[in-house]
Amino acid sequence: MKILVIMALLLSASTVLAGTRVEGVRLWPAPDHTRLVLDTAGLVEHNVFSLSGPSRLVIDLKDAALGTDFSKVDLSGSPIQRIRSAPRNGNDLRVVLDLKSDIKPRSFVLEPNQQYGHRLVVDLIDEQGSRLDRATSPTVTQDSAGKRDIIVVIDAGHGGEDPGAIGPRGTREKDVVLRMAKRLADLINQQKGFTAKLTRTGDYYVGLRNRTLLARKYNADLFVSVHADAFRTPQPRGASVFALSQRGATSETARWLAQSENRSDLIGGAGGVSLDGRDDMLAGVLLDLSMTASINASLGVGDSVLGRLGRVVKLHKQGVEQAAFVVLKSPDIPSILVEAGFISNPTEEKNLASEWYRNKLANAIFDGIEQYFRRTPPPGTLLAWEKQQNRGGTDVSQYRIQRGDTLSGVARENQTTVSELMRFNGMNDDRVMVGQTIRIPSS
């Protein structure tokens, strides 16, 4: 009996000494970094350092034991050749990553969320930028006559270790918005005069600031971030469109002026104005002008997108809302955030999980974007050239009537009148049919 008690005490002591267990491991390869996530039973103290010749990354976990199998991790697409581990100092755990080349590590712990428990996150950052450079290599978007495409950067929210909101049936926001973003990109790329780029093409996380940085690398004319809303109760529903608030613009101007590295960034929205060498007052004025122009353009395109969404789905609010979202804070690129619906609402969760509904949303967003740029194309683009060529009485564009359209609504959105549309299209009355194509005269 005494022997059994002693053995039980020894087992209990070993459990205490072992401390936190590493219960799982996941890998999220992205273009500019790879994220390694260790699921732990609780908070864990850790230390990370690099070794050369050969390249390795060492992760020491205090009072920890291994409870998973590293050999089953798929390392393809990552800079890791092998993951190995061993006990250290009796109670600790050492994890070693054998690397293909030197990387810059960054580590932190995450609190539990809806999907995961405690986690230790280690980012392996590609300082050479080789994979990022390939991902953001410029596309030829200009023809021999100098008429370039309008570039729309589409940002699928969340990703990787960040699932976003999760619906009652387990539908994850990060999956829904990525599929919708890809559909929207396909629609844009199929349209002559437009090119779409994605901030992420797979299930990995991109930092909020890096999303706007990618838009700048692509020389974007518009940045569209796609999300799915959530609330603590299941009742709220409907789609929303957001632009940057003035308060968010003010704080962002201060941040840009406070960071010296931003002084050399070009403000494309203001015609290539640089803050480099400007005193604080002049730089502040230039940023305010650029930010104001960007917000006004964002509200314009947001209103166009919201109008199209309102024809196919229920709206949460009838007007474009404004908030200080980080991804909207580019001072030189018009930016909107589209909340496709409330994933916390059981009906909308079911809709968002279906391809037909996501396609309906993507089509509406695309229609709103195209309508805005047909009306106000950026200088030097194919659409601006076409509008210039069509001045003097010929039609600027053609429009196909959709469900819910009225001739008065089409006239209002294209800054013309019902009588002018009727005259231009040889119509005897203002009735239109779904699928009918009408010509829009130049304003």
Side-chain angles (χ1 to χ4, degrees):
M1 186 67 176
K2 289 183 178 179
I3 294 174
L4 291 174
V5 171
I6 292 171
M7 288 179 65
L9 289 171
L10 287 172
L11 286 171
S12 175
S14 66
T15 302
V16 173
L17 290 174
T20 302
R21 285 173 60 84
V22 176
E23 299 178 328
V25 57
R26 289 182 304 286
L27 205 63
W28 307 97
D32 62 335
H33 73 281
T34 294
R35 174 161 290 186
L36 176 73
V37 182
L38 300 178
D39 291 307
T40 58
L43 286 173
V44 63
E45 291 185 44
H46 73 283
N47 182 43
V48 176
F49 59 93
S50 301
L51 297 172
S52 298
S55 300
R56 287 156 291 162
L57 185 71
V58 179
I59 308 167
D60 283 336
L61 295 89
K62 187 176 181 181
D63 293 332
L66 185 64
T68 188
D69 187 356
F70 287 140
S71 66
K72 295 182 179 179
V73 180
D74 182 7
L75 303 177
S76 58
S78 80
I80 305 173
Q81 291 181 317
R82 183 175 60 148
I83 305 177
R84 47 196 172 91
S85 65
R88 180 174 177 269
N89 297 335
N91 305 326
D92 302 338
L93 176 67
R94 168 163 286 185
V95 178
V96 179
L97 311 182
D98 295 321
L99 303 171
K100 298 172 185 175
S101 60
D102 290 341
I103 54 90
K104 177 184 177 182
R106 177 182 60 194
S107 64
F108 52 92
V109 294
L110 288 176
E111 296 289 328
N113 62 17
Q114 288 177 280
Q115 188 170 9
Y116 302 115
H118 289 278
R119 288 151 291 162
L120 168 61
V121 178
V122 181
D123 284 339
L124 313 178
I125 301 168
D126 179 12
E127 285 191 294
Q128 303 301 318
S130 56
R131 288 188 294 157
L132 180 62
D133 290 341
R134 288 195 298 271
T136 60
S137 56
T139 302
V140 178
T141 58
Q142 186 163 309
D143 66 11
S144 57
K147 300 182 287 292
R148 70 172 181 86
D149 283 356
I150 290 169
I151 300 172
V152 181
V153 171
I154 306 161
D155 171 50
H158 309 280
E161 197 62 19
D162 176 12
I166 299 177
R169 298 168 58 185
T171 306
R172 300 181 300 187
E173 178 183 3
K174 67 171 184 177
D175 301 326
V176 166
V177 297
L178 180 60
R179 295 185 187 114
M180 194 184 307
K182 287 182 174 180
R183 172 61 179 169
L184 179 57
D186 288 342
L187 290 170
I188 291 172
N189 283 325
Q190 290 166 14
Q191 182 64 39
K192 184 180 179 182
F194 286 84
T195 293
K197 296 288 186 179
L198 291 162
T199 58
R200 69 178 179 96
T201 58
D203 189 10
Y204 52 84
Y205 183 76
V206 179
L208 297 180
R209 293 287 178 186
N210 286 342
R211 295 171 191 251
T212 55
L213 178 63
L214 283 169
R216 185 163 287 107
K217 284 180 179 289
Y218 287 132
N219 298 314
D221 295 288
L222 175 66
F223 178 86
V224 181
S225 191
V226 185
H227 289 255
D229 218 336
F231 197 66
R232 61 180 178 272
T233 61
Q235 287 77 23
R237 56 179 299 195
S240 307
V241 177
F242 287 85
L244 182 64
S245 67
Q246 194 57 53
R247 185 182 65 179
T250 301
S251 65
E252 189 66 7
T253 297
R255 189 188 76 88
W256 271 66
L257 291 174
Q259 296 186 3
S260 59
E261 65 266 25
N262 287 325
R263 295 304 184 92
S264 60
D265 283 348
L266 294 179
I267 307 303
V273 177
S274 173
L275 301 183
D276 202 16
R278 315 286 187 179
D279 61 42
D280 283 353
M281 181 175 290
L282 179 55
V285 170
L286 291 172
L287 271 174
D288 281 342
L289 288 171
S290 182
M291 191 71 85
T292 300
S294 178
I295 290 177
N296 287 339
S298 302
L299 290 170
V301 70
D303 187 61
S304 183
V305 168
L306 191 70
R308 293 297 177 182
L309 283 170
R311 298 181 181 190
V312 297
V313 297
K314 176 182 172 59
L315 296 180
H316 184 59
K317 294 286 179 66
Q318 294 301 314
V320 177
E321 301 177 77
Q322 292 182 261
F325 290 115
V326 172
V327 291
L328 300 180
K329 290 186 175 182
S330 179
D332 53 342
I333 303 171
S335 306
I336 61 171
L337 185 146
V338 178
E339 295 280 10
F342 281 80
I343 205 168
S344 52
N345 179 288
T347 301
E348 291 204 334
E349 178 193 19
K350 182 180 178 181
N351 287 338
L352 290 168
S354 66
E355 185 178 4
W356 71 269
Y357 190 83
R358 292 193 304 269
N359 289 349
K360 183 166 69 168
L361 288 167
N363 281 323
I365 296 169
F366 167 71
D367 287 341
I369 292 170
E370 185 190 25
Q371 173 190 286
Y372 173 80
F373 281 118
R374 291 282 179 191
R375 206 163 51 221
T376 55
T381 60
L382 175 65
L383 267 66
W385 178 82
E386 288 179 344
K387 187 171 184 178
Q388 180 69 30
Q389 294 296 110
N390 287 326
R391 283 180 178 172
T394 58
D395 56 318
V396 172
S397 61
Q398 292 186 333
Y399 176 70
R400 183 169 54 83
I401 299 297
Q402 301 179 29
R403 187 177 301 279
D405 276 342
T406 62
L407 198 62
S408 60
V410 174
R412 183 172 59 253
E413 289 167 0
N414 290 278
Q415 299 178 340
T416 186
T417 63
V418 171
S419 59
E420 180 67 7
L421 286 179
M422 289 173 59
R423 183 191 66 79
F424 203 72
N425 290 276
M427 299 167 65
N428 296 321
D429 54 46
D430 62 358
R431 288 178 297 179
V432 290
M433 296 182 296
V434 174
Q436 177 183 352
T437 299
I438 63 173
R439 299 186 302 157
I440 309 296
S442 58
S443 57

